[in-house]
């Protein structure tokens, strides 16, 4: 029991936050609670604190919209939050699509899809291309380009306000991740993930690796959705510095040798440089 | 076996070309889709909504206006609705706007896509100046135009007697009855849709259309001579001179020429 808890505690916490956030948003619509109103694009906490998606605001800016004060305050709060705790914490701890893609990744491991074909046909840098493209289309057409096709808002808004055909988008992402590309949506395509990767490059909370404990079992690399960020495993003691790390902490809990742990950026740096 | 040498530079150039190709294809499909969904003009937006072009830029699709609406009037466009995804709209025949005096949907908008100042008179919120659309009467199917007595839309209108009035006309067919024809006054109508909801015909004979779709424009050429204020429209008129060259040939020749007559 203790090992079960040890091996899945962060996963449990992540699902718990993801689902409670959904429930709180849903309750605002269904039962009129006002703890968290709106959705991931923009919301209101306790009817006072505004929260807004910085990437949506960026697209609005590209489209040439006038940004209101409320929106800017919301963007500021959200941006500072993710800047401190790691940009892609949004991806693994908040975004509901993460549940779909994690399910696809799990099934992919169980079915052994990767054993049949290991080669991944696409680059992880694709998300930055999509990010740039979204801003270009926003500017050219005067709309918020990604917000019009975003499966994230589709699913999230769908759960709060009614799903419509949104389930089809989820099915497509699930099948894409399962059969076409490993961690395809979150790891390669999603421009919101790309945006938060850029933001997360500066964050304070990091996963750190200590080489002396590592036994090269590579469980962390198997389970990591962005395994390129763990390039140092077994080679040198270093923290994960890439913004592409989602701080999901799966690597920490699957590691039986205590080689991976959360750390604060500054301290981790001191350790490596021996200061 | 001879191994084929592919230089890094070739690979690099190929990769760049590939990325450019995929980006172009993706961009094409993406913008085509966006173009398609934003082309639907027949959407009715919440009160205070800014111009549709700006609305699409500004609305962040958070649904706070939908939550604020006490009558569940406002809907968010879902995938499959073929409307700009996530933007608020309403269908008056299902649930019209009940024109709350405190307009709860407008102040909650975090982005200003719903503009408070457009529904404010004398520093107070005033739903009566809202402009969601305009009621249009299909006089062919409206039974009041047939001579059957019905004033459902007139009675349902929250601006009773102002936005819709009843015009009496003699019914020549019977000689002793009156037509009671509803007339919409475009400058007062807010497009709330209560009339459309109330209409008794199978498919509503009075319905709300967005103002840009519902209204024509006479332009500056035509002025009501009997209306002093109407001449004010000419203040901003621009002079446009057109010159037509007069044909130098004799008039009879035009009949003999083999050019098409039309």
């Amino acid at each position: 029991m203790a090992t079960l808890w040890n091996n899945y505690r962060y996963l449990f916490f992540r699902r718990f936050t993801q689902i409670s956030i959904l429930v709180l948003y849903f309750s605002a619509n269904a039962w009129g609670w006002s703890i968290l109103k709106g959705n991931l694009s923009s919301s209101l906490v306790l009817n006072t604190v505004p929260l807004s998606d910085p990437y949506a605001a960026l697209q609005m800016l590209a489209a040439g919209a006038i940004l209101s004060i409320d929106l800017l305050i919301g963007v500021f709060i959200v941006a500072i939050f993710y800047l401190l705790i790691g940009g892609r914490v949004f991806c693994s701890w908040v975004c509901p699509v993460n549940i779909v893609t994690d399910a696809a990744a799990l099934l992919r491991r169980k079915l052994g899809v990767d054993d049949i074909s290991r080669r991944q046909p696409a680059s992880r840098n694709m998300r930055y291309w999509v990010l740039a493209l979204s801003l270009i289309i926003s500017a050219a057409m005067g709309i918020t380009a990604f917000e019009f096709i975003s499966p994230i808002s589709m699913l999230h808004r769908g759960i709060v306000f009614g799903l419509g055909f949104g389930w089809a988008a989820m099915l497509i992402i699930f099948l894409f991740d399962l059969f076409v590309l490993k961690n395809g949506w979150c790891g390669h395509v999603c421009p919101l993930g790309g945006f938060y990767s850029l933001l997360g490059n500066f964050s304070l909370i990091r996963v750190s690796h200590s080489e002396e404990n590592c036994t090269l079992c590579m469980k962390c690399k198997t389970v990591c959705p962005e395994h390129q960020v763990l390039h140092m495993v077994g080679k040198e003691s270093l923290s994960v510095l890439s913004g592409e790390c989602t701080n999901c902490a799966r690597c920490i809990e699957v590691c039986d040798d205590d080689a991976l742990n959360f750390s604060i950026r500054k301290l981790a740096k001191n350790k490596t440089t021996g200061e | 076996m001879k191994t084929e040498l592919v230089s890094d530079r070739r690979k690099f150039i190929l990769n760049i070309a590939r990325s450019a190709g995929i980006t172009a294809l993706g961009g094409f499909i993406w913008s085509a889709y966006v173009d398609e969904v934003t082309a639907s003009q027949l959407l009715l937006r919440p009160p205070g909504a800014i111009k549709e072009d700006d609305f699409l830029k500004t609305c962040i699709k958070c649904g706070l206006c939908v939550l604020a609406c006490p009558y569940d009037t406002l809907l968010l466009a879902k995938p499959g609705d073929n409307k700009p995804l996530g933007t608020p709209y309403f269908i008056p025949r299902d649930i019209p706007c009940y024109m709350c005096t405190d307009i709860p949907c407008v102040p909650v908008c975090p982005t200003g896509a719903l503009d408070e100042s457009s529904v404010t008179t004398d520093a107070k919120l005033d739903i009566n100046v809202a402009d969601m659309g305009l009621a249009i009467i299909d006089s062919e199917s409206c039974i009041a135009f047939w001579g059957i007595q019905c004033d459902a839309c007139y009675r349902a209108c929250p601006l009773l007697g102002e936005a819709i009035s009843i015009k009496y006309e003699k019914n020549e067919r019977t000689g002793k009855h009156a037509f009671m024809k509803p007339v919409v006054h475009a400058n007062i109508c807010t497009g709330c849709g209560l009339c459309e909801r109330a209409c008794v015909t199978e498919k509503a004979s009075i319905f709300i259309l967005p103002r840009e779709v519902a209204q024509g424009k006479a332009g500056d050429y035509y002025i009501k001579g009997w209306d002093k204020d109407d001449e004010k429209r000419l203040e901003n008129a621009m002079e446009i001179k057109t010159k037509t060259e007069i044909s130098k040939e004799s008039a009879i020749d035009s009949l003999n020429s083999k050019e098409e007559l039309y």
Side-chain angles (χ1 to χ4, degrees):
Chain A
M1 197 60 203
T3 51
L4 201 68
W5 172 249
N6 231 15
N7 287 346
Y8 293 100
R9 61 193 193 277
Y10 286 115
L11 186 65
F12 171 78
F13 283 134
R14 268 171 53 215
R15 294 292 176 257
F16 181 75
T17 50
Q18 274 165 337
I19 292 168
S20 0
I21 288 170
L22 281 177
V23 168
L24 286 181
Y25 278 122
F26 180 79
S27 66
N29 190 26
W31 312 306
W33 295 13
S34 49
I35 302 170
L36 198 53
K37 273 184 174 176
N39 64 31
L40 291 179
S41 303
S42 189
S43 39
L44 209 52
V45 183
L46 298 170
N47 280 334
T48 42
V49 186
L51 298 175
S52 297
D53 174 5
Y55 176 48
L58 203 63
Q59 291 170 67
M60 289 165 73
L61 211 60
I66 300 157
L67 302 186
S68 68
I69 299 295
D70 276 5
L71 183 80
L72 289 175
I73 295 171
V75 163
F76 184 74
I77 294 173
V78 171
I80 291 294
F81 180 74
Y82 286 121
L83 205 60
L84 292 179
I85 66 159
R88 292 198 66 199
V89 163
F90 170 82
C91 300
S92 60
W93 292 76
V94 178
C95 182
V97 178
N98 176 262
I99 302 175
V100 177
T101 56
D102 272 1
L106 180 72
L107 196 60
R108 196 182 169 96
R109 282 197 295 276
K110 293 264 183 274
L111 293 180
V113 179
D114 286 328
D115 299 339
I116 303 166
S117 157
R118 275 196 174 275
R119 206 178 143 269
Q120 295 297 324
S123 152
R124 286 192 184 260
N125 287 335
M126 203 151 80
R127 52 188 154 206
Y128 304 114
W129 288 81
V130 179
L131 177 63
L133 190 62
S134 73
L135 295 180
I136 293 169
I137 296 179
S138 294
M141 303 191 67
I143 40 96
T144 49
F146 185 61
E147 301 306 303
F148 278 84
I149 59 165
S150 164
I152 306 155
S153 348
M154 243 183 239
L155 176 63
H156 186 259
R157 217 186 293 116
I159 291 165
V160 185
F161 296 104
L163 195 56
F165 255 111
W167 62 265
M170 285 313 112
L171 186 67
I172 291 167
I173 286 183
F174 183 77
L175 294 176
F176 179 68
D177 269 27
L178 183 56
F179 295 123
V180 183
L181 193 59
K182 185 182 179 185
N183 301 121
W185 172 259
C186 298
H188 294 76
V189 181
C190 179
L192 186 59
F195 173 79
Y196 279 125
S197 297
L198 297 176
L199 201 67
N201 275 324
F202 312 100
S203 73
L204 292 181
I205 296 184
R206 298 289 173 169
V207 173
S208 72
H209 171 64
S210 71
E211 193 246 324
E212 51 265 37
N213 287 356
C214 178
T215 55
L216 292 174
C217 70
M218 292 296 151
K219 275 187 188 166
C220 52
K221 284 218 177 190
T222 317
V223 84
C224 179
E226 300 275 350
H227 56 76
Q228 79 281 7
V229 308
L230 290 174
H231 57 82
M232 76 295 287
V233 165
K235 292 175 194 148
E236 50 183 330
S237 296
L238 201 68
S239 339
V240 173
L241 290 177
S242 167
E244 282 164 7
C245 170
T246 67
N247 275 1
C248 72
R250 280 297 283 150
C251 57
I252 296 174
E253 52 195 9
V254 297
C255 183
D256 299 325
D257 310 310
D258 199 30
L260 291 154
N261 267 306
F262 273 129
S263 72
I264 306 292
R265 187 193 186 102
K266 195 70 188 290
L267 296 173
K269 247 189 188 163
N270 285 351
K271 225 179 248 173
T272 51
T273 53
E275 278 174 37
Chain B
M1 206 175 81
K2 203 178 140 192
T3 48
E4 194 103 7
L5 265 175
V6 180
S7 71
D8 277 352
R9 195 190 314 155
R10 275 195 201 178
K11 259 190 197 161
F12 175 74
I13 293 171
L14 184 65
N15 271 339
I16 291 285
R18 250 185 214 154
S19 313
I22 292 177
T23 311
L25 180 68
F28 173 70
I29 298 171
W30 192 344
S31 47
Y33 169 76
V34 167
D35 206 33
E36 180 66 30
V37 289
T38 51
S40 58
Q41 294 187 337
L42 297 175
L43 280 177
L44 298 174
R45 297 297 185 192
I50 56 178
K51 242 176 68 218
E52 182 71 11
D53 278 0
D54 294 327
F55 187 82
L56 290 175
K57 278 179 207 170
T58 312
C59 171
I60 201 166
K61 306 159 180 67
C62 63
L64 285 173
C65 54
V66 177
L67 292 176
C69 177
Y71 296 101
D72 294 337
T73 299
L74 296 175
L75 307 165
L76 281 190
K78 297 192 287 276
D81 286 349
N82 233 6
K83 297 182 170 74
L85 201 63
T87 54
Y89 69 104
F90 70 103
I91 304 170
R93 188 67 157 164
D94 296 341
I95 309 176
C97 170
Y98 286 95
M99 291 179 56
C100 318
T101 45
D102 56 343
I103 331 181
C105 54
V106 175
V108 294
C109 181
T111 62
L114 304 178
D115 179 17
E116 232 176 301
S117 67
S118 74
V119 281
T120 304
T121 41
D122 303 330
K124 271 177 103 181
L125 285 173
D126 180 9
I127 188 66
N128 292 351
V129 298
D131 185 11
M132 295 166 269
L134 176 61
I136 300 296
I137 297 170
D138 174 17
S139 55
E140 294 280 315
S141 58
C142 172
I143 57 169
F145 280 76
W146 294 2
I148 297 171
Q149 192 190 335
C150 172
D151 57 2
C153 57
Y154 169 77
R155 294 281 162 206
C157 183
L159 296 163
L160 185 85
E162 291 178 63
I164 302 179
S165 60
I166 298 285
K167 196 170 117 199
Y168 297 98
E169 244 170 56
K170 190 179 176 192
N171 188 341
E172 298 287 357
R173 186 178 62 83
T174 64
K176 54 184 173 186
H177 297 95
F179 287 112
M180 294 163 64
K181 297 181 179 176
V183 178
V184 177
H185 301 281
N187 51 337
I188 310 276
C189 177
T190 64
C192 69
L194 276 154
C195 54
E196 181 173 339
R197 178 86 181 89
C199 183
V200 300
T201 58
E202 192 178 307
K203 190 178 160 211
S205 302
I206 183 165
F207 42 83
I208 311 297
L209 291 176
R211 218 164 255 265
E212 309 84 75
V213 178
Q215 276 186 309
K217 192 185 173 202
D220 297 329
Y221 290 104
Y222 308 99
I223 296 295
K224 296 174 195 160
W226 59 93
D227 182 356
K228 257 203 166 156
D229 286 343
D230 203 35
E231 217 163 308
K232 282 183 187 155
R233 286 197 291 130
L234 281 181
E235 280 169 7
N236 302 320
M238 305 246 282
E239 191 184 29
I240 303 167
K241 275 191 178 166
T242 44
K243 274 189 186 164
T244 316
E245 267 185 44
I246 295 166
S247 171
K248 291 179 181 91
E249 288 158 44
S250 112
I252 285 182
D253 284 350
S254 72
L255 296 175
N256 294 330
S257 77
K258 283 183 181 151
E259 278 170 39
E260 262 181 274
L261 294 171
Y262 50 89

